[in-house]
Amino acid sequence: MCIRDSTEEVALRAINMFVAAVALVLLLPIIVVVAVLIRLDSPGPVFYKQVRVGLDRRSPHGGEESIGRRVDDLGGKPFEIVKFRTMHVDAEKESGPVWASDEDPRVTRVGRVLRRTRLDEIPQFWNVLRGEMSIVGPRPERPTFVQQLRDEIEGYPLRQQVPPGITGWAQVNRPPDRSVEDVRQKVGFDLEYLDRRSVWFDLWIMLKTFPVMFERDNESRPQ
C-alpha cells in the first residue's frame, strides 16, 4: 500500500516543504488582499482554525503500537487546520457540526468566492510546513465526522495511513462532500491513491487541481 521510511517518502516530504514554502512567498500579495476583504466583509478573525484528524501512525493490524491507545481514539493524530474564514463567526453555535449545502446561509459573501476558487485553502500551506499535512492526500476531516464515517464506511480508517492533503485524488475526481454517500464514493479514490502514491502521481494530482479550482461546485464545500 503506501510507502514509508523510503527514499521516495523522503523525496515526497522534501517536495511538500519546497512547494509550500514557495507558494506562501508567491501568494503573499493575494494573502494580504484576501485578509483585507474578509475584514471588510464581516466582523471576526481573518483565519479560521479547527481540529482535524491527521495521520494514524499505528499499525493497521494492531500490535504493540496500538495497545493502550484506544481510549478517546480519534482515528489519527489531531491537529489544528488553518484556513481563511468563509463563514460568519459562531456559524455552528446553534446547529453544531453539519454537512454543507448549496446557498449555505452561514457563508459570507467573500467566503463564497474563496470557496469557489479554493483560495480559502492557502493558509494550509502552513500546516504542510509544520508536517501536519501534505500538498496531496485524503481530505482532513473533523473528529465528529471521522467517528461516524469509519463506522459506516468500510475501509475508511485506511485513508489515515498517509498525511491528509490540501488536494487529493478524490478531491479532483469527485464533487464536494454533502452526505455520507458522497464520502463513500470518495473513499475508493483515497484507497487508490494509497496504492499509487509516488512523487510523480502527486505532481500529476497537483496539476489536475488547477482546473478544479474554478468549478462552481466548490462553493458548497464544508469549511
Side-chain angles (χ1 to χ4, degrees):
M1 191 144 309
C2 59
I3 304 169
R4 286 190 186 171
D5 301 323
S6 66
T7 302
E8 187 151 34
E9 193 71 22
V10 173
L12 281 167
R13 180 60 187 153
I15 290 173
N16 275 277
M17 295 287 287
F18 175 76
V19 172
V22 171
L24 286 174
V25 172
L26 295 180
L27 295 173
L28 184 58
I30 295 178
I31 292 173
V32 173
V33 171
V34 170
V36 172
L37 291 175
I38 291 174
R39 292 301 300 269
L40 292 175
D41 182 49
S42 64
V46 169
F47 298 105
Y48 174 81
K49 299 180 180 180
Q50 188 181 70
V51 175
R52 298 290 176 97
V53 179
L55 178 66
D56 187 352
R57 296 184 181 277
R58 296 169 303 184
S59 168
H61 305 294
E64 294 183 0
E65 295 182 25
S66 302
I67 296 176
R69 299 180 61 183
R70 293 299 179 183
V71 178
D72 297 326
D73 177 16
L74 298 179
K77 184 178 181 180
F79 69 97
E80 196 170 60
I81 200 171
V82 183
K83 305 176 76 170
F84 282 123
R85 180 173 60 85
T86 60
M87 288 186 176
H88 295 286
V89 175
D90 295 329
E92 294 186 332
K93 185 176 181 179
E94 300 296 331
S95 65
V98 295
W99 296 99
S101 60
D102 292 328
E103 302 301 326
D104 195 327
R106 300 173 299 170
V107 181
T108 64
R109 291 172 298 179
V110 170
R112 294 190 186 283
V113 177
L114 296 179
R115 287 180 171 216
R116 189 176 301 138
T117 58
R118 293 198 176 189
L119 291 177
D120 61 317
E121 311 273 4
I122 290 176
Q124 291 178 58
F125 286 116
W126 176 245
N127 290 113
V128 175
L129 289 178
R130 288 171 56 90
E132 298 161 332
M133 294 181 63
S134 294
I135 305 296
V136 177
R139 181 181 181 276
E141 194 51 86
R142 301 162 71 169
T144 300
F145 290 140
V146 169
Q147 293 178 24
Q148 173 190 2
L149 295 170
R150 66 181 179 179
D151 289 337
E152 298 187 23
I153 301 177
E154 183 179 359
Y156 186 87
L158 295 175
R159 66 197 292 281
Q160 306 302 135
Q161 291 183 31
V162 295
I166 299 176
T167 185
W169 190 229
Q171 293 92 308
V172 300
N173 280 286
R174 296 292 305 171
D177 301 336
R178 303 180 193 180
S179 67
V180 173
E181 185 55 37
D182 288 340
V183 180
R184 193 187 310 278
Q185 295 180 33
K186 275 189 172 181
V187 166
F189 287 99
D190 286 331
L191 299 184
E192 180 185 351
Y193 170 70
L194 263 66
D195 285 330
R196 300 177 61 183
R197 187 168 182 250
S198 69
V199 170
W200 299 114
F201 193 43
D202 272 26
L203 292 175
W204 171 241
I205 293 172
M206 290 181 201
L207 290 175
K208 285 181 67 68
T209 298
F210 288 103
V212 175
M213 290 174 62
F214 301 100
E215 293 179 359
R216 184 169 178 79
D217 275 346
N218 289 330
E219 183 177 332
S220 60
R221 288 186 298 110
Q223 179 162 290

